[in-house]
Amino acid sequence: MTRFVQLHILTAYGAANLNRDDTGRPKTLTFGGAERLRISSQSLKRAFRESEAFATTLAGAIGSRSQRFMGELIAGLEARGLSREDAVARAGVVVTDNKLGKLKGEAQTEQLVHLGPDELARIAALVDELVADPSLKGPPVLSEKPRAADIAMFGRMLADNTRHNVEAAVQVAHAFTTHRVAVEDDYYTAVDDLKDPDIDAGAGFIGVQYYGAGLFYLYVCIDADLLLANLSGERSLAADTIEALIRAACTVGPTGKQNAFASRAKALYVLQEIGEDAPRSLAAAFQHPVGARRGEADPQAASIERLGSLRAGYAQAYGEAFATQELDVAAGKGSLADLIAAARALYAG
């Protein structure tokens, strides 16, 4: 049976614009007929990948996603005396033969390509091979299971080279507020320090920025066995990977408009479930916005109560038997270390 780790996380943000749309407004969601603030899955995963938690715990096991990985190969070939034209041509063969995507200009691919550290090292090593043997075609670069924790977690898709696709072991939902919200606007001015107020007392600049505030619910589902398989059975790296993910999910958020709002926050409540039952989100607990029912004056307490109530209902209806750990800041219950220890134990032995 497959083992899953599920995280149900509540994090409160004051005035913030963590993840904005094309008009500059915070992203939103209509759920249960009520508008909520939303943080996209893509934005969250990017924040996790760029976090200190990943950088320190997974040093040397994080990949890079780019359209420009050919640039270093071309530069290396030029440094070894090849003309620009020859360097571009030979690098292009590497891309074409490995089916890494369509070429765009001299040193880019049209698609973003996610490569692991081992694959990037292989590309760097090709400089000597391509110089030594001008007739060499594109030698293999990709690994079926790259040693990259972020690829193991979030997957990789190569449209023209499906053999080297990696199925994501981690699913990250869009976070949304458990209660109804309204996006607000902040009219602001900037003062010109060198302006003479006797001549012109007006502002040097005026503008509007948008924000919202609320308690967000985030759901993360980890297929613990697929994560281990994606990392070629390397238990130590799998344990470090799940630790980095849990730490980041609880302590890291997108940095949109950070200097304007100082919107730094850590999870107030986390319910972690580990088991072999089919995973499920608890988002339905908030289909009716918190605050709409009698006695829900405290959004945090009401949200925690709703999570517990729905979880108990699922357990009764489907016979679920998840092992659980809780972190509750307000109640002084549990710790991040407890959550991590329970998840790491899946890879012991």
Side-chain angles (χ1 to χ4, degrees):
M1 295 288 288
T2 301
R3 298 171 299 172
F4 295 97
V5 178
Q6 298 178 89
L7 300 173
H8 308 275
I9 302 173
L10 296 175
T11 305
Y13 289 96
N17 191 346
L18 299 168
N19 184 207
R20 55 189 183 269
D21 64 19
D22 57 345
T23 68
R25 295 168 62 85
K27 290 186 176 180
T28 59
L29 163 74
T30 299
F31 186 44
E35 186 176 41
R36 325 292 182 92
L37 293 180
R38 175 174 64 91
I39 304 173
S40 74
S41 173
Q42 296 89 335
S43 178
L44 289 163
K45 287 186 284 189
R46 175 68 177 176
F48 298 165
R49 288 184 65 239
E50 295 295 304
S51 69
E52 185 67 22
F54 273 42
T56 55
T57 308
L58 300 172
I62 296 293
S64 294
R65 186 174 59 182
S66 180
Q67 297 171 287
R68 297 173 171 81
F69 62 87
M70 286 176 58
E72 186 174 348
L73 178 56
I74 292 171
L77 292 170
E78 286 186 292
R80 296 292 298 274
L82 271 69
S83 68
R84 176 73 177 182
E85 183 179 4
D86 284 346
V88 169
R90 295 194 191 182
V93 169
V94 172
V95 172
T96 302
D97 285 6
N98 282 277
K99 298 180 180 179
L100 297 179
K102 296 179 180 178
L103 296 174
K104 178 182 178 181
E106 286 191 341
Q108 292 188 40
T109 56
E110 288 187 356
Q111 301 83 8
L112 286 166
V113 181
H114 202 160
L115 300 177
D118 49 339
E119 296 168 325
L120 292 168
R122 174 64 177 153
I123 288 177
L126 288 179
V127 172
D128 290 336
E129 296 182 33
L130 292 171
V131 170
D133 184 0
S135 65
L136 184 68
K137 297 299 181 181
V141 167
L142 298 175
S143 303
E144 289 190 28
K145 302 290 184 183
R147 193 179 186 278
D150 51 344
I151 294 176
M153 282 186 282
F154 306 131
R156 173 172 74 184
M157 190 190 77
L158 297 168
D160 297 325
N161 194 350
T162 56
R163 175 187 170 193
H164 293 95
N165 286 350
V166 178
E167 183 181 353
V170 176
Q171 300 165 351
V172 179
H174 292 237
F176 65 92
T177 52
T178 65
H179 50 85
R180 186 188 303 271
V181 296
V183 175
E184 301 181 63
D185 56 86
D186 175 33
Y187 170 83
Y188 66 92
T189 64
V191 177
D192 185 335
D193 294 336
L194 300 183
K195 182 184 290 187
D196 186 343
D198 291 333
I199 298 175
D200 182 358
F205 178 82
I206 60 173
V208 175
Q209 61 183 357
Y210 302 95
Y211 66 93
L215 180 68
F216 288 79
Y217 168 69
L218 169 63
Y219 172 65
V220 178
C221 180
I222 307 162
D223 184 329
D225 297 316
L226 179 57
L227 180 62
L228 181 62
N230 283 350
L231 293 170
S232 300
E234 195 172 335
R235 290 182 175 274
S236 177
L237 180 55
D240 288 344
T241 299
I242 207 166
E243 173 177 341
L245 177 61
I246 293 171
R247 188 178 300 279
C250 294
T251 63
V252 174
T255 57
K257 292 284 187 177
Q258 188 65 261
N259 292 339
F261 293 106
S263 50
R264 299 182 182 275
K266 295 181 179 180
L268 293 170
Y269 177 81
V270 183
L271 169 64
Q272 178 172 275
E273 300 177 301
I274 300 176
E276 297 178 349
D277 288 296
R280 76 288 178 267
S281 167
L282 296 178
F286 310 114
Q287 184 171 4
H288 297 289
V290 167
R293 297 173 181 170
R294 186 184 300 273
E296 292 187 333
D298 182 344
Q300 180 180 329
S303 295
I304 294 172
E305 190 280 328
R306 285 203 191 184
L307 286 176
S309 178
L310 182 58
R311 177 182 171 275
Y314 276 139
Q316 174 66 32
Y318 296 102
E320 295 175 346
F322 294 111
T324 62
Q325 299 80 39
E326 285 184 277
L327 180 160
D328 189 334
V329 172
K333 180 180 180 180
S335 69
L336 179 59
D338 294 337
L339 304 180
I340 290 170
R344 286 186 67 99
L346 294 170
Y347 302 112

